[in-house]
Amino acid sequence: MKRRNPSIGVLMIISLTIIILTLVTRKTLCQIGFRHGSVEVIAQLDCRSGK
């Protein structure tokens, strides 16, 4: 059996950890923002509950 690249597994674990920690500290993932110095990155989702 071929051995997979371990960096993909590490990246998946880090991503899942960030998502889980965000869900624990916030009720929703509608808006997440990061600020470092003068650079700000914001990710927004459409979180309307209507159909």
Side-chain angles (χ1 to χ4, degrees):
M1 192 183 278
K2 226 181 210 187
R3 191 168 179 160
R4 294 185 181 188
N5 190 353
S7 63
I8 293 173
V10 171
L11 183 64
M12 288 178 58
I13 291 171
I14 291 171
S15 299
L16 284 172
T17 303
I18 290 171
I19 291 171
I20 290 169
L21 287 175
T22 304
L23 284 172
V24 167
T25 59
R26 298 174 178 244
K27 299 247 186 242
T28 64
L29 292 175
C30 292
Q31 181 177 359
I32 300 172
F34 300 100
R35 183 178 296 178
H36 182 70
S38 63
V39 177
E40 183 175 13
V41 177
I42 297 175
Q44 294 181 330
L45 299 172
D46 186 8
C47 293
R48 291 179 273 177
S49 61
K51 290 183 179 180

